[in-house]
Amino acid sequence: MSKPFYVTTPIYYVNDVPHIGHAYTTVAADIMARYNRMCGREVFFLTGSDEHGQKVEKAAIAGGETPQQLADRVVTRFQDLWKRLNISNNDFIRTTEDRHKKAAQHLFKHVMDKGDIYLGAYEDWYCTPCETFLTELQLVEGACPDCKRPVDKIKEESYFFRLSNYQEALLKYYEEHPDFIRPESRYNEIVSFVKGGLRDLSVSRMSFSWGIPVTGHPEHVIYVWFDALTNYLTSVGYPDDMARFEGSWPADLHLIGKDILRFHAVYWPAFLLSAGLPLPKRIFSHGWWTVEGEKMSKSKGNVVNPHDVIDAVGVDAFRYFLFREVPFGLDGDFSTNGLIGRINSDLANNLGNLVSRTLSMIEKYYGSRVPYRPEKDALSPDDRQFADLLENLHGEVTAHMNQQTFSKALDTVWQRIDAANRYIVTNEPWKLASEKSDRLEPVMYNLYEAVRLVCLEIYAFMPATAVELWTQLGLTRAVGALEDIVPRCASVTEDRVRREPFQWGWVKSTPEQQITIEKGRQLFPRIEKTEKNLETKNEVKKVEQTAPVQEMERISIDDFAKVELRTGKIIAAEKVEKSDKLVKLQVDIGTETRQVVAGIAKAYGPDVLVGRNVVIVANLKPAKLMGIESQGMLLAASDENGLALAGFERDVAPGSRVK
Ligand code: MSP
């Protein structure tokens, strides 16, 4: 069996409240895991929680709990968020688990037996909130350079790791593995840091007890970073199941934020070199999110809670935004306008339009039957060119995914979406249909394949949406669910990638075995910014999207004449109790007064409605809304700025016909 693709996130401090930064690293790992699984590789995806240390101990004591009780209580905040974000981790490791204690002690002892850990005395500045020892030089105005809080001088007996002995070995490794640390700027940063000289590292503490005891010296607990980094070994069987371990280690990818790069790119490889274990293949360090241009901090109260964003825009739109907006590796800014802008332009407009136009046309021209596949050789040069463009998509996206250049991967997909939308405009399928042209079928097949191939490439980023789109394409029923069928059909062998499902023409609907689409709910609704504004509350509203006019069914003037539109004047208005949407109106339509219940309360209060000219559908059958009879309907439109009632530029007598 080949080694699984092994991807990790940092293990998060259990006492933190998860925010967008944590979500960012974890979703990135999920994207890598899902993409690789989809390509047929076996994947092992690990995340977890970092539960030891002085901070947890102090917080627990302050709250009258044991540290373990505190950890057990708050770890669910992360686990719940990962469920909600659709994170497909294979294991969740907690550093307080026995398997992990054993692994950390084993690694520590191994390195000690090797002669790389010795007993000394430690004296330095220590920042408790950051759990970091600092040298005099690192302090900024006598305080912690990261959190700016005061530091304490600590002197205690401590075990030291001979990091200084590994300077040359590390530099050699970096040189021989230029891909080891990504992006390149971070690689350069680490190389120059290590060239500057390495001091031995204190790897045990006596000043608190909430940690893993050093075997044989229980008055020392293992330094949190030595403990935490070992989690990457624990989860794959170290030290008890070495057969499994050897089949899984090294990790292919450690995903981390730039703040914890040194621990991963200097200390961790040095520990592993000392223990004689292989080094991870790549450490990718991503940037940090600011919020509306400012650093995120509890004191500023601007910490973005992922749950709020999900409530407002949905899981997949949030996942998409994080990776489209900012190149992975650079810092980015989280803003309401950025979020809504991206969703509306990329998802609702570009992708949403392509999907709804394609599916509506298939419904209309073929009674939902997936168009038959043309022979590639028989395609016209334009259609052939478009088919080739689609077929190259997977290779291009995979190349970006292998480098974790996620925004470029998405950019590539959206270029194809744009090309497909242009293909519709240029080829005008509605004309081909009215001319009964033979070209309609190849054009529509190409569009179907465009949506299908895009669906595969967005799966890792927006899994639930892609799975649903796959069903709407009729494929779940015809071939099987995306998550089951594609990995099986696309299994990767060491040197050869089978890529059938990613090829143009994989779907074949035949007269004997027809595939039919199942148009379902609108997958990419527009998001409207509410008056209350998302900047503070993340409150946005989804707006239904309309199909492009040229694909709607045409009606005759006689059909239109059946709708009796009249002008009216609102003479009374009151809110409907227990409803935040409905108002009850009395509308003067000249010959009589009609009672109309309208869903406009969010945009118009009763006081601004009285006296207003409106357009009413006067021959609609009466209906009951929340038990109240409504004898007509008002015309209104909504866009991203909200709802607006139709009216007239001057007062028109009530009861006039609108035509
Ligand atoms: N427990 C350690 C990691 C040990 S791994 C062996 C730790 N935990 S943490 O809870 O502080 O979270 C770490 C992750 O969250 C890091 O990858 C960090 O970069 C990320 N982020 C925290 N704030 C962030 C932003 N504002 N923006 C992006 N990511 C940020 O460190």
Side-chain angles (χ1 to χ4, degrees), residues 162-187:
R162 288 188 204 283
L163 185 62
S164 56
N165 274 5
Y166 285 90
Q167 181 178 6
E168 290 315 313
L170 285 171
L171 287 172
K172 183 161 176 277
Y173 193 84
Y174 301 148
E175 200 180 329
E176 286 168 2
H177 301 85
D179 262 3
F180 179 54
I181 304 162
R182 293 281 90 186
E184 202 181 344
S185 56
R186 300 286 170 211
Y187 173 90

Side-chain angles (χ1 to χ4, degrees), residues 350-361:
N350 302 345
L351 179 54
N353 267 344
L354 174 65
V355 171
S356 67
R357 288 161 131 189
T358 303
L359 296 187
S360 306
M361 289 192 282

Side-chain angles (χ1 to χ4, degrees), residues 10-13 16 19 21-22 24-25 50 225 228-229 231-232 256-260 264 286-289 296:
I11 47 172
Y12 302 102
Y13 288 128
D16 275 355
H19 56 63
H22 304 117
Y24 190 44
T25 327
D50 191 352
W225 272 99
L229 288 160
N231 90 86
Y232 302 132
I256 56 162
K258 63 179 183 180
D259 51 319
I260 56 175
H264 282 82
H286 66 66
W288 267 43
W289 285 94
M296 196 161 65

Side-chain angles (χ1 to χ4, degrees), residues 122-124 133-136 138 160-164 193 197-202 267:
Y122 194 87
E123 183 174 3
D124 225 331
F133 275 93
L134 299 158
T135 62
E136 192 78 39
Q138 288 173 306
F160 280 83
F161 172 71
R162 288 188 204 283
L163 185 62
S164 56
F193 171 76
L198 295 173
R199 293 197 314 160
D200 286 352
L201 182 74
S202 161
Y267 302 168

Side-chain angles (χ1 to χ4, degrees), residues 149-349:
R149 280 179 276 206
V151 287
D152 306 312
K153 190 93 177 195
I154 290 189
K155 179 167 184 173
E156 60 183 32
E157 185 185 89
S158 165
Y159 285 100
F160 280 83
F161 172 71
R162 288 188 204 283
L163 185 62
S164 56
N165 274 5
Y166 285 90
Q167 181 178 6
E168 290 315 313
L170 285 171
L171 287 172
K172 183 161 176 277
Y173 193 84
Y174 301 148
E175 200 180 329
E176 286 168 2
H177 301 85
D179 262 3
F180 179 54
I181 304 162
R182 293 281 90 186
E184 202 181 344
S185 56
R186 300 286 170 211
Y187 173 90
N188 296 334
E189 194 181 298
I190 288 296
V191 170
S192 55
F193 171 76
V194 175
K195 278 190 178 155
L198 295 173
R199 293 197 314 160
D200 286 352
L201 182 74
S202 161
V203 286
S204 76
R205 297 286 182 270
M206 298 180 83
S207 49
F208 60 91
S209 60
W210 182 238
I212 301 175
V214 174
T215 316
H217 307 276
E219 65 287 7
H220 288 264
V221 294
I222 297 175
Y223 171 47
V224 273
W225 272 99
F226 190 101
D227 161 354
L229 288 160
T230 313
N231 90 86
Y232 302 132
L233 306 182
T234 314
S235 177
V236 286
Y238 182 88
D240 281 346
D241 187 350
M242 288 308 275
R244 174 169 175 229
F245 177 71
E246 272 150 29
S248 311
W249 185 258
D252 291 84
L253 182 62
H254 288 320
L255 287 167
I256 56 162
K258 63 179 183 180
D259 51 319
I260 56 175
L261 177 60
R262 198 173 293 173
F263 298 100
H264 282 82
V266 182
Y267 302 168
W268 181 227
F271 299 156
L272 292 168
L273 284 172
S274 170
L277 295 172
L279 268 47
K281 293 202 187 133
R282 179 176 296 170
I283 295 158
F284 196 109
S285 159
H286 66 66
W288 267 43
W289 285 94
T290 51
V291 177
E292 308 278 353
E294 291 202 47
K295 200 172 166 201
M296 196 161 65
S297 78
K298 276 189 207 152
S299 54
K300 283 196 193 120
N302 65 347
V303 177
V304 177
N305 178 342
H307 287 289
D308 291 343
V309 187
I310 299 170
D311 287 345
V313 302
V315 171
D316 281 353
F318 176 46
R319 289 176 56 124
Y320 171 77
F321 170 79
L322 290 177
F323 294 92
R324 179 68 195 270
E325 187 70 3
V326 178
F328 200 54
L330 300 185
D331 291 342
D333 187 49
F334 187 88
S335 73
T336 306
N337 284 338
L339 177 70
I340 298 183
R342 275 287 170 202
I343 294 174
N344 285 348
S345 77
D346 299 4
L347 299 182
N349 285 355

Side-chain angles (χ1 to χ4, degrees), residues 623-637:
K624 279 204 169 163
L625 293 166
M626 293 198 66
I628 309 169
E629 183 166 285
S630 181
Q631 305 154 334
M633 188 177 92
L634 301 191
L635 295 193

